[in-house]
Amino acid sequence: VPSIRKKNRCFACGPYNPDGLHLIFHYDPKKIEATCRLRINPKYQGATGFAHGGLIATLLDEAMAKANGMGGVIAVTINLDVRYRKMVPLRKPLMLSGKRIRAIGRKLYLRSELRNQAGDVLADARGIFLRVDPERLRR
Ligand SMILES: CC(C)(COP(=O)(O)OP(=O)(O)OC[C@H]1O[C@@H](n2cnc3c(N)ncnc32)[C@H](O)[C@@H]1OP(=O)(O)O)[C@@H](O)C(=O)NCCC(=O)NCCS
């Protein structure tokens, strides 16, 4: 499901960002979970043959952001805690997922995972998001 925002130039998911990752997520409202299949382009290499850690953090953050956004929740990341468990290969099929675990007041607690095709968790993250007034995100 492409983002419903017009002219979405988000680096991770925006169709209108020529330099973006163009991630396409699916959303399961029952699980409050967003998922995406992807392969990492070699231009995002860090250590030789593997993905850069900053790009992995971007993916994990975006999966949680989509679990909020595709459920109609407007929120921003206020904390991101990434665990890099295994080297992430370039070009190989990967599965990215983000899920809301709980909500306390304006604070939303989420988890995300990046897995390989065999189902091994390569990296995962905990994120805290804060609900914000949509007007604050507009310029
Ligand atoms: C999120 C933001 C709008 C919060 O501003 P605000 O609406 O005025 O919220 P407040 O500062 O009143 O904080 C609200 C609550 O969140 C908590 N909080 C705010 N920032 C936090 C952070 N980085 N880590 C943990 N908690 C944080 C505050 O302690 C407060 O908690 P409390 O109610 O338990 O006291 C502002 O910090 C911001 O714009 N941050 C940048 C977000 C961003 O760029 N994210 C990456 C891209 S999405």
Side-chain angles (χ1 to χ4, degrees):
V1 180
S3 171
I4 54 169
R5 271 183 291 158
K6 282 183 185 155
K7 299 279 178 192
N8 176 3
R9 294 187 176 86
C10 170
F11 169 65
C13 70
Y16 293 91
N17 184 337
D19 299 318
L21 300 174
H22 302 138
L23 301 176
I24 296 175
F25 284 86
H26 297 268
Y27 179 64
D28 181 339
K30 285 194 191 123
K31 294 184 182 170
I32 320 178
E33 182 176 48
T35 55
C36 169
R37 293 187 176 281
L38 74 148
R39 294 170 192 255
I40 297 177
N41 187 302
K43 68 185 170 184
Y44 302 116
Q45 177 167 272
T48 305
F50 297 98
H52 194 284
L55 190 269
I56 295 165
T58 298
L59 296 174
L60 291 165
D61 178 51
E62 185 65 17
M64 294 188 281
K66 277 285 174 287
N68 290 327
M70 293 175 86
V73 173
I74 312 294
V76 295
T77 316
I78 58 171
N79 194 275
L80 178 64
D81 180 7
V82 179
R83 287 166 289 186
Y84 297 97
R85 298 183 183 278
K86 293 181 180 176
M87 301 297 281
V88 176
L90 303 168
R91 298 190 191 86
K92 299 268 168 60
L94 301 170
M95 172 62 90
L96 175 63
S97 62
K99 186 175 165 50
R100 193 165 91 204
I101 306 298
R102 63 182 189 276
I104 302 173
R106 286 173 67 201
K107 284 186 191 167
L108 309 169
Y109 296 83
L110 291 97
R111 300 259 177 96
S112 58
E113 292 180 341
L114 183 63
R115 294 177 182 266
N116 64 16
Q117 213 169 17
D120 306 317
V121 177
L122 307 179
D124 62 341
R126 292 163 188 249
I128 308 175
F129 288 68
L130 197 67
R131 283 181 196 264
V132 290
D133 179 345
E135 290 304 319
R136 285 186 67 160
L137 295 181
R138 297 213 178 91
R139 294 212 188 139

